[in-house]
Amino acid sequence: MTDTLLSSRLRAETRDWHDRMETLMQRADVFASRLNYGRFTTAQYLFQQDVEAFFDDPRLQQAVPDLQVRGRLEAARQDLLDLEQPVPPQLPQTRHVTMPSALGWLYVSEGSTLGAAFLFNEAKEKLGLSADFGARNLAAYPEGRARVWRRFIASLDEQPAGDHGSIVQGARSAYARFEALLLASTSQPT
Ligand code: HEM
C-alpha cells in the first residue's frame, strides 16, 4: 500500500521549509537577548493573528473539532506586554485563504508547538522567562504538547484525498509567511 496519509505527506513535502526555519532562527540569534526574543515574539504574534483569522470558519471547525484549545495569539500578546514591546494592530493578511488550504496553515502553527519545547527551555535558561512571563507563547498547551498534536494528526488524516494538495500548498504558504515575518521583525536596527 502506498503511504497516502496527509500527515506523512505534509511532513515530507515541507521538510525543506522546516530546515529553512531552523537556519533562520539560528541566524536571528533569538535567545541572545530579550530584545531579539521580543522581535521573534512579534513575528509569532503576527503569524498567530493570520492563523486565528480562520478560527470562525465553520469548515475548519468541522475539520478540527477541538479548534478552541489551539492558537497562541493571546499568549503572544501577553508576552509582548511582559517584554514591553509594542503590540501590532489587528491586521491579518490571510483574508484570501480559505479551507482546505487554511488547514495547511494550521498544521504549521500546531507543528511549531513541538519544536517550541526546545525554544521554551532556552527562553527559561538564557532569558529567565517562563510560562507566566514572556514565554507563554512557547509553553505547552494545558493538556500537553504530544496529546494535542496527536489529536491534530488524527483530524488531518481524516481529510478527503482530493483536498490534500491544497492543504500542502497552504502549509508551504504559511512557512513562507512566517519566514517573511521573522525576517522583517529581526532585521530592525538595534
Ligand atoms: C530553532 C527552531 C526550531 C526547532 C529546533 C524545531 C524543532 C522541531 C522538532 C524537534 C520537531 C519534531 C518534534 C517531534 O516529532 O516530536 C518539529 C516539528 C515541527 N516544527 Fe519545528 N522547530 C523549529 C522551528 C519551527 C518553526 C519556526 C516552525 C513554523 C513556523 C516549525 C514548524 C514545525 C512543524 C509544522 C512541525 C511538525 C512536523 C511534522 O509533521 O512532524 N518549527 N520542530
Side-chain angles (χ1 to χ4, degrees), residues 94-109:
T94 42
R95 295 284 181 220
H96 61 290
V97 180
T98 53
M99 273 292 282
S101 59
L103 190 54
W105 282 71
L106 186 61
Y107 160 78
V108 174
S109 175

Side-chain angles (χ1 to χ4, degrees), residues 4-43:
T4 52
L5 284 178
L6 175 59
S7 56
S8 310
R9 251 196 92 174
L10 277 163
R11 188 178 307 115
E13 293 182 34
T14 62
R15 188 165 286 140
D16 54 340
W17 267 110
H18 193 271
D19 290 349
R20 272 168 80 158
M21 290 300 118
E22 291 200 43
T23 307
L24 202 64
M25 291 282 289
Q26 273 165 13
R27 276 204 207 123
D29 214 358
V30 169
F31 300 101
S33 65
R34 283 196 181 188
L35 180 65
N36 283 13
Y37 173 77
R39 289 170 169 175
F40 158 78
T41 307
T42 300

